[in-house]
Amino acid sequence: MTYQSRAQWQLRLILLPSAALLLALVIWPALYAVWLSFTNAALVGPGAANPRFVGLRNYARLVGDGDFWNSLMVTGLFVLGSAIIGQFVLGLVSAVLLNRPLRFRAVFNAIILLPNAVPEVVAGFLWISMLAGGERGVLSRIVMGLGLQPQDWLNTFPLTMIIVVNTWRGIATAMILLTAGLSSVPKEVHEAAVMDGAKPGQIFRMITLPLILPTIFLYMLISTVSTISIFGFVYALTRGGPGGATEILGIYLYNQSFTAYQLGYGAAVAVVSLVFSLIVGVIYVRALKVEV
Amino acid sequence: MFKKPLLAAVSLIALTALAAQAETIRIAEHRQARIDALKAVAPAIEAKLGVTIEVIEYPAPEKDYMSKLLTELGAGNAPDVFTVPGDSDVPDLATAGYVAPVTEAFAAWEGAAHTFDVAKSLATGADGVMYAVPTMLSVQQIYFRRDVLEKAGISTDQPKDWADLMARAKEIKDKTGQYALLFPMGASWGGGAFGEGFQYMLAGTDTPQLVAAGGKLDLSSTGVKDVLTFYADLVNADLMPVDPLLGPEPWVIPKYEMFPAGQLVATTCGTWCYIYDWGPESKNPIPDVTKAVGTWEVPGKAGGNGHVMVSLNSPWLVNANASPLATQVALELGSVAADVAYASRLGNIPARRDAGDDAEFQKLTALVPVLKAVENGTYLQASAGFSAVSEGVARATEAILRKETDGAGAQKILVDYVTDVLGPDAVQ
Amino acid sequence: MAKRPQLMAYATLSLISAYCALPFFWAALASFDGNASLFLKWPEDWTTANYTRIFTVENGLTWFMNSLIVVGAATVLTMVLGGLGGYALSRSNAWWKRPFLYTILLIRVVPPPALIVPLYKVLLTANRAVQEVLRAVLPPDMLRPAMRVFGLVDGYLGMILILTALQLPLALWILKTFFDTVSRDYDEAALLDGASLMQRIRLVLLPLALPGLAAAGLFAFISAWGDFLMPLIFISSPELQMLPLGLFRAFLRVNTVDWGFLTALAVLYMVPSVVAFGFARGFLVRTFGGGVKG
C-alpha cells in the first residue's frame, strides 16, 4: 500500500464519526419520514395503533390541499423577502460601508452582529413587544412620529412582519460572508480603477460586484436552504396565523403532525418540500455555478 | 430462643428493602396551579398506596404539552398517569392503544358510588369501556357583566332563544359601545373552539349529537350549520372581538384584559372564571366577582329549556403499559381531597357528589351551587375521531373569523377536513 | 466634497443599527422594571427582583448550567468531528465527496418538526440498549443518575448528540472550505517526514485550523443554544431542564404573561451567545476571507 492510498483510507476513517452520527440522527430519521409519508400513521386514533400503507394517498391529498400551496407560497415569499432581499441588501450595504475607514466601525459592527446571537424564542418575544398593536406598541409609536396611523402589525401585515424579523436576525450572517468576500478583492484593482477616474458607483458595479459574485451565490445557497427550514421564532411569534398568513413550511408541518396529529401527511409535506428545495439547490449549483 | 428476634429482624430488613423499592409512578402534570394541587395531595397518596410519586412538569401551553406527551406515547415512553384536556380527546387515545381500561377498577373503587352519572357517561366510550377517571368537570355557560348591563339599563334576564341572545348582544353593542359576546373560535385557541363554544350551541339544536346510529360522524346536520351560521352572524355584526383571536394565546386579551375592563360584556366560560380568570387566583381580578358577573344558561335555538354544558376537565388516563398500581393512583387523584385541591386552585367542579360535604369545598362559595346542579347539565358524547372534529371546527371557525365564508361554507370546511383526515368511511 | 458620502454612510449605518438594537432596549428596561409590560417604557419602579427570582424562586441556575453543559459539549464535539471530517472532505478525492456535501447541506431544508417522531424512535431504541448495559454493570441505585448522563432520551448524552448532529452539516461545510485554502504542502511535507495521522493533525493542522474551528464552533454554539424544540421534546426531568424550556414554561405558566420575569430570563439567555460572538468575531473574517474563492 502506498502512503497516498493509506492516507486516503485514513481520511475516510476520520470522516466516519461524522458520517455515522449524521446517518443515525439525521438521514435515517429522514428516510423513516419518507416511509411514514406512504402510510396513514398518526399520533392518535387507529393510525397510531396500526399504521397502514396507503400508497400515494397523502400526496394526492396534498395536491388538492389549498393550505399546503398557501404554505409553499408563503415560504417562497418569506425566503425571497428575508434571505434573498432583506438580509442580503442590508448585509451588503453594511459590509461595503464598514469596509471603509469610518469612525465607530467596531461599534456599528457589534450592534449589527447582536441580533444574530439571539435565541429563536427570545427573538419571538422581543418582536411581540416591538409589533404590539395599538398606540403604545414601539413600531406604532415610530410610525405615529412620522404622521402615520398606528397598526396592529402582526394582524395587518403578518407576512411582512416575519420577514422584517427574520431580516433582523440575519443581516449579520450576510455581512460576515460578504465582508469576507470584499476582503478578497485585491486592493490594486480598486486603486487602478480610481486612477482611471471611475466613480465609486461604477467601481462597485464593474469591479467589486463581479469579483464577489461567487461569494454572493454561496451565501444565497446557504441562506435559502436554512431559511426554508425555519421554525422556532415564527412559532413563538405567530404560530402561523392569522389565518395561515405566516404558515411557512416548518409551521405547516408542525401543525399537521402535532395539532392535527397526521404524521403520515406531515411527512409527505416534508418530502415534497425537500424535493422543491432540491430543485432550488440544483438551480443554484447549475445555473449560478456555486463551486464547492 | 433467638428465633423470634431474628425473624423480626429479617422481616424488618425485608420490609425496608420493599419500602426502598417502592414502585415509582410517574405522573405528567403541567401549569403551575395544577402542579401545586398535585403536589399538595401526592404525599397522602404515597402513604396510602405505598408508592413513590414522581411529578414530571410538562410545558404549560396546552399544544406543547400534547405534542410532547403524544410523541412519548407514540414511542412507548410516556409517564404512567397523565391528563388530556377534555373527554373529546379520550376515544382517539384509546383507539391508538395508549390507554389502559379502568372499567373494573373504577367499579370497585370507593368513589364510584359518589360519582355523578353524567361524569361516568362522559368517561365511558361507545363500547362501554371506561378509559378515563372522571375527577373534575367543566361546567360551562355564558358569563356576563351584570354591573355593566344594569348601568346601561339592559335586561339581565335569561335569553329565551338564539334570536333573543343575538338581539341582546346587539343591544349591548348599541348601548355600551363595547364588544357584546364572545365564543372561542379559530385555529389558535386549540380545542377551545370546539369545547368552549361550539358544543354548547350544538346541544341546543335539533341535532345535539355528532355520532349517527352506525357510529359514523354526522357533520352535515342542520344543527352544525345553524351553529356556524350563528357564529358568522356574530362576527359579521362586529359583536365579537376578532383580532386577538387570530394571534397566539387568543384568550389572553379578551378574557384576562377586556372582560375585567368591561370592554367585553359576555363570554362563554366555565366555573373556573370565577376563581382563575377573574377571581382570587387571577392577576387581574374583578372586585366582588360573583355579584358583578352573572350567568345565563345557553338557550336552545328555538327556545325551550336552557342548559349548562358539562364535560370532563383534564380527566386522568392510565398508560396502557403501566402497572395496576398506576390505576390505583389515578383513582386516588379522584378522592375528595384531591378534587378539592384542584377545585380551589382552578375553579373546576368535582365529579363527585360528596365533595359538597367537604368543609374546604364549602369555602368555595361560587362553586357550591354549581355542584348541586351538575346532574341537570347537558353533555356531548365523544367518540373516535373527535380530535379531527375539534381541529375541523377550529379551522371552520377560523374562516368565519376572517370573514371568508358563511355558515354553510364553514360547515363544508369542517366536513372536508374530517373526511380528509379520517377517510370517507368514518363520515356520514 | 468627500463629506457627503461619509455623512450618508453614517446615516445609513445608524439606521441599520437602530433597527438591530431597538428590541434590546425593551428587554433590558423591562427586565429591571417591577411593573414591566409589553410596551417600551422607562421603569418607574427599578428593581433587580426579576433577576433574583430566576435563581431563588425558580431553578434558574440549574437551567443555565444544563444549557451550558449540553450546548458546550455539543459545540466541542461539533468542532472535533467537523474539524476531522472537514479535513477529510477537503483532502479526499473520492467520488462520493460532492454527493455527500450536497446531501448534508440539502438535508438542512427539512424542518426539524418533521424529524422529531422518527428521531424519538431511534433514540428510544438506543436508549433501551444503554439502559440494559448500565443495568448490568451498575448497582441499581446508580442506574437513574447514570441514565441522566448517558441516557439518549431525557439524558445529557442524547441531547448532546442531537444538537451535534443538527449543527454538523454547516460545520463540515465551513471547515471543508476552510481547509481548501490551507496549502496541501504542509501535510505533504509532514507525511513525507513519516508523521502519523494524529501527529499531523495535532502539530500541523490544529494550529492552522484555529480560525476555521472558531467560526464553526461559534455558529454551532449559537444555533444549538437557541434550539428549543429538541429540549422541549427530549428532556423531561427537572434536573435536566434547560433555559429555553424555562423560558417557555415561564410564559403562560400562570394566566398572565410576567414580562419582567420573561425579559430578565431572556437577557440572561442572550448573554452567553453574545459573549461567544465577542470572542470568536475576530476569527470570522479570517475564516471566510480565505475560504471564499475570489
Side-chain angles (χ1 to χ4, degrees):
Chain A
M1 208 191 267
T2 65
Y3 75 89
Q4 265 123 347
S5 69
R6 211 184 71 203
Q8 282 293 320
W9 272 108
Q10 286 177 333
L11 291 177
R12 281 169 209 200
L13 202 68
I14 60 175
L15 182 60
L16 196 65
S18 301
L21 191 65
L22 286 172
L23 194 69
L25 297 188
V26 180
I27 297 178
W28 170 252
L31 290 175
Y32 191 94
V34 173
W35 154 249
L36 282 181
S37 76
F38 295 106
T39 69
N40 69 345
L43 271 178
V44 299
N50 304 300
R52 261 182 317 113
F53 182 77
V54 294
L56 292 170
R57 206 181 84 184
N58 288 324
Y59 291 92
R61 189 180 145 198
L62 202 66
V63 174
D65 184 350
D67 290 346
F68 170 71
W69 295 106
N70 169 60
S71 165
L72 209 59
M73 199 185 70
V74 168
T75 311
L77 291 173
F78 179 63
V79 172
L80 185 74
S82 60
I84 297 183
I85 298 175
Q87 294 173 2
F88 170 69
V89 170
L90 292 182
L92 184 64
V93 169
S94 311
V96 169
L97 293 181
L98 289 175
N99 212 23
R100 298 185 191 173
L102 292 178
R103 272 189 177 192
F104 309 120
R105 237 174 75 171
V107 178
F108 284 127
N109 211 324
I111 293 177
I112 295 171
L113 289 180
L114 208 54
N116 202 249
V118 175
E120 292 178 300
V121 191
V122 177
F125 291 142
L126 291 181
W127 282 90
I128 286 177
S129 164
M130 294 300 107
L131 303 176
E135 294 178 1
R136 294 167 66 203
V138 175
L139 185 57
S140 284
R141 277 199 276 183
I142 292 174
V143 300
M144 279 160 75
L146 300 173
L148 300 170
Q149 285 296 311
Q151 297 286 341
D152 187 1
W153 300 98
L154 284 171
N155 277 329
T156 324
F157 310 107
L159 180 58
T160 315
M161 289 305 123
I162 63 165
I163 289 174
V164 166
V165 179
N166 196 42
T167 300
W168 174 81
R169 293 177 69 226
I171 299 175
T173 320
M175 186 180 78
I176 291 168
L177 275 172
L178 295 167
T179 305
L182 287 174
S183 71
S184 67
V185 175
K187 283 243 160 38
E188 307 82 59
V189 184
H190 192 264
E191 278 157 15
V194 176
M195 296 277 228
D196 290 347
K199 290 188 182 128
Q202 281 178 323
I203 298 179
F204 182 76
R205 237 187 10 259
M206 315 288 285
I207 297 168
T208 316
L209 205 58
L211 279 173
I212 62 168
L213 216 52
T215 317
I216 292 175
F217 289 150
L218 182 68
Y219 160 76
M220 295 269 176
L221 174 64
I222 290 177
S223 71
T224 302
V225 162
S226 31
T227 306
I228 291 176
S229 66
I230 279 181
F231 169 72
F233 90 84
V234 182
Y235 183 76
L237 199 58
T238 65
R239 302 216 166 180
T246 57
E247 200 168 32
I248 53 171
L249 276 171
I251 302 279
Y252 180 71
L253 204 151
Y254 182 86
N255 284 341
Q256 291 306 324
S257 304
F258 292 99
T259 304
Y261 307 137
Q262 301 299 301
L263 286 183
Y265 189 61
V269 175
V271 172
V272 172
S273 57
L274 187 61
V275 170
F276 271 101
S277 19
L278 209 63
I279 295 169
V280 175
V282 169
I283 292 174
Y284 274 117
V285 173
R286 283 284 145 82
L288 303 178
K289 308 239 179 331
V290 177
E291 283 286 325
V292 283
Chain B
M1 200 174 162
F2 288 97
K3 260 187 182 164
K4 257 192 179 168
L6 194 68
L7 210 67
V10 166
S11 50
L12 196 70
I13 291 169
L15 265 176
T16 335
L18 257 178
Q21 289 186 352
E23 198 173 337
T24 301
I25 301 294
R26 296 158 69 225
I27 305 183
E29 189 52 289
H30 68 305
R31 288 169 58 203
Q32 195 59 50
R34 298 189 54 88
I35 289 167
D36 291 345
L38 178 57
K39 289 202 168 149
V41 295
I45 299 175
E46 285 180 320
K48 183 168 178 188
L49 298 176
V51 295
T52 307
I53 288 177
E54 189 187 337
V55 179
I56 305 173
E57 182 176 352
Y58 276 60
E62 210 72 69
K63 271 189 184 173
D64 301 309
Y65 168 70
M66 288 302 277
S67 300
K68 185 171 168 68
L69 182 69
L70 287 170
T71 306
E72 292 174 352
L73 280 167
N77 191 39
D80 302 308
V81 180
F82 50 88
T83 61
V84 287
D87 46 84
S88 59
D89 303 285
V90 176
D92 282 322
L93 264 73
T95 48
Y98 296 154
V99 189
V102 296
T103 322
E104 282 139 39
F106 182 83
W109 173 55
E110 58 81 27
H114 303 292
T115 302
F116 291 119
D117 287 340
V118 54
K120 288 183 208 164
S121 310
L122 279 164
T124 308
D127 50 0
V129 180
M130 206 167 182
Y131 283 106
V133 180
T135 58
M136 300 303 288
L137 300 172
S138 295
V139 180
Q140 305 184 70
Q141 48 194 323
I142 297 171
Y143 284 67
F144 65 92
R145 290 291 298 260
R146 186 187 297 280
D147 49 353
V148 174
L149 289 192
E150 283 172 353
K151 208 172 139 201
I154 303 167
S155 163
T156 56
D157 294 345
Q158 167 70 37
K160 289 189 293 294
D161 52 25
W162 288 10
D164 195 17
L165 182 63
M166 185 66 83
R168 190 78 54 86
K170 286 187 173 142
E171 191 186 351
I172 291 172
K173 192 186 173 206
D174 290 343
K175 290 197 177 157
T176 67
Q178 310 291 357
Y179 287 114
L181 176 61
L182 175 101
F183 278 85
M185 297 184 200
S188 60
W189 207 310
F194 178 78
E196 295 176 34
F198 182 83
Q199 62 164 351
Y200 297 19
M201 296 301 279
L202 187 72
T205 66
D206 304 335
T207 53
Q209 297 292 335
L210 289 175
V211 185
K216 287 189 178 187
L217 293 167
D218 181 12
L219 302 169
S220 314
S221 65
T222 51
V224 172
K225 187 179 159 200
D226 290 341
V227 178
L228 293 171
T229 305
F230 183 88
Y231 273 21
D233 292 346
L234 201 61
V235 170
N236 291 334
D238 294 322
L239 298 172
M240 198 179 108
V242 166
D243 282 351
L245 270 66
L246 291 168
E249 285 81 40
W251 51 86
V252 172
I253 291 175
K255 280 210 168 159
Y256 303 154
E257 292 170 18
M258 296 173 84
F259 193 86
Q263 293 164 346
L264 169 67
V265 179
T267 174
T268 68
C269 204
T271 46
W272 62 82
C273 276
Y274 274 149
I275 308 278
Y276 190 80
D277 290 29
W278 317 310
E281 295 284 314
S282 166
K283 286 223 166 150
N284 199 7
I286 299 174
D288 205 2
V289 63
T290 43
K291 265 221 184 90
V293 177
T295 58
W296 288 324
E297 293 182 336
V298 184
K301 179 171 187 287
N305 288 332
H307 55 271
V308 296
M309 198 76 210
V310 179
S311 54
L312 299 185
N313 179 270
S314 300
W316 289 103
L317 273 54
V318 179
N319 193 324
N321 305 324
S323 80
L325 256 180
T327 309
Q328 294 307 315
V329 170
L331 290 169
E332 283 306 317
L333 288 167
S335 68
V336 171
D339 281 2
V340 175
Y342 275 88
S344 64
R345 287 174 179 84
L346 289 139
N348 297 114
I349 302 295
R352 48 195 293 175
R353 213 169 284 109
D354 56 346
D357 308 331
D358 184 87
E360 284 300 309
F361 184 77
Q362 281 163 359
K363 289 183 194 160
L364 307 168
T365 46
L367 306 185
V368 172
V370 184
L371 182 81
K372 290 196 179 119
V374 161
E375 289 288 17
N376 305 329
T378 313
Y379 67 96
L380 185 69
Q381 188 74 55
S383 82
F386 261 45
S387 300
V389 174
S390 173
E391 175 66 13
V393 168
R395 287 171 184 234
T397 53
E398 173 99 2
I400 290 175
L401 276 183
R402 297 170 68 205
K403 303 189 180 175
E404 289 174 347
T405 185
D406 59 1
Q411 183 172 30
K412 186 173 182 310
I413 294 175
L414 169 65
V415 173
D416 288 352
Y417 175 77
V418 175
T419 314
D420 268 343
V421 171
L422 301 176
D425 302 342
V427 185
Q428 196 169 50
Chain C
M1 284 265 111
K3 279 275 144 69
R4 262 192 57 197
Q6 286 281 47
L7 223 62
M8 284 293 292
Y10 281 117
T12 315
L13 282 172
S14 301
L15 268 180
I16 297 178
S17 299
Y19 172 37
C20 289
L22 197 59
F24 296 97
F25 283 119
W26 170 68
L29 288 179
S31 70
F32 287 107
D33 192 340
N35 211 354
S37 76
L38 183 56
F39 306 105
L40 178 66
K41 67 174 164 63
W42 194 253
E44 281 156 18
D45 173 18
W46 286 91
T47 175
T48 52
N50 292 324
Y51 287 95
T52 45
R53 240 170 67 221
I54 295 173
F55 297 102
T56 53
V57 182
E58 303 285 344
N59 291 321
L61 193 64
T62 313
W63 300 342
F64 211 83
M65 290 315 291
N66 285 330
S67 275
L68 275 183
I69 292 170
V70 168
V71 178
T75 306
V76 172
L77 192 59
T78 306
M79 285 161 78
V80 171
L81 295 183
L84 293 173
Y87 174 65
L89 285 169
S90 169
R91 296 299 188 259
S92 168
N93 32 31
W95 63 268
W96 43 260
K97 178 174 139 177
R98 273 161 160 259
F100 181 85
L101 277 166
Y102 283 123
T103 308
I104 62 170
L105 183 67
L106 285 176
I107 209 91
R108 277 171 60 88
V109 304
V110 179
L115 298 178
I116 285 177
V117 168
L119 194 58
Y120 202 101
K121 292 200 170 152
V122 171
L123 285 170
L124 190 64
T125 314
N127 193 52
R128 298 222 163 104
V130 171
Q131 202 164 12
E132 285 314 306
V133 171
L134 289 180
R135 206 193 297 279
V137 297
L138 288 176
D141 53 328
M142 288 292 290
L143 186 63
R144 190 84 189 258
M147 282 308 286
R148 292 250 161 78
V149 178
F150 296 107
L152 292 173
V153 170
D154 201 18
Y156 282 137
L157 185 62
M159 212 55 235
I160 291 168
L161 291 179
I162 295 170
L163 292 177
T164 305
L166 292 179
Q167 307 316 322
L168 203 49
L170 192 63
L172 284 170
W173 263 73
I174 291 175
L175 285 156
K176 184 256 169 202
T177 17
F178 180 80
F179 278 117
D180 283 348
T181 65
V182 176
S183 169
R184 289 186 182 220
D185 297 348
Y186 295 109
D187 31 326
E188 294 284 333
L191 202 59
L192 287 174
D193 284 347
S196 75
L197 180 69
M198 278 303 135
Q199 281 172 323
R200 268 182 289 151
I201 290 170
R202 196 158 48 86
L203 299 173
V204 184
L205 288 168
L206 197 60
L208 289 170
L210 219 52
L213 284 175
L218 174 71
F219 282 118
F221 181 85
I222 284 176
S223 166
W225 186 254
D227 193 336
F228 80 97
L229 191 62
M230 298 300 160
L232 173 84
I233 300 290
F234 286 95
I235 297 290
S236 298
S237 304
E239 300 90 330
L240 300 182
Q241 215 54 265
M242 292 162 64
L243 267 177
L245 259 292
L247 198 71
F248 226 63
R249 270 184 350 187
F251 193 63
L252 287 181
R253 200 180 197 197
V254 289
N255 61 6
T256 46
V257 182
D258 185 346
W259 292 108
F261 180 79
L262 198 70
T263 45
L265 195 54
V267 169
L268 284 180
Y269 187 17
M270 285 188 276
V271 168
S273 43
V274 171
V275 170
F277 235 121
F279 272 119
R281 203 174 52 143
F283 290 114
L284 288 177
V285 169
R286 269 202 277 161
T287 306
F288 297 106
V292 176
K293 291 168 190 169

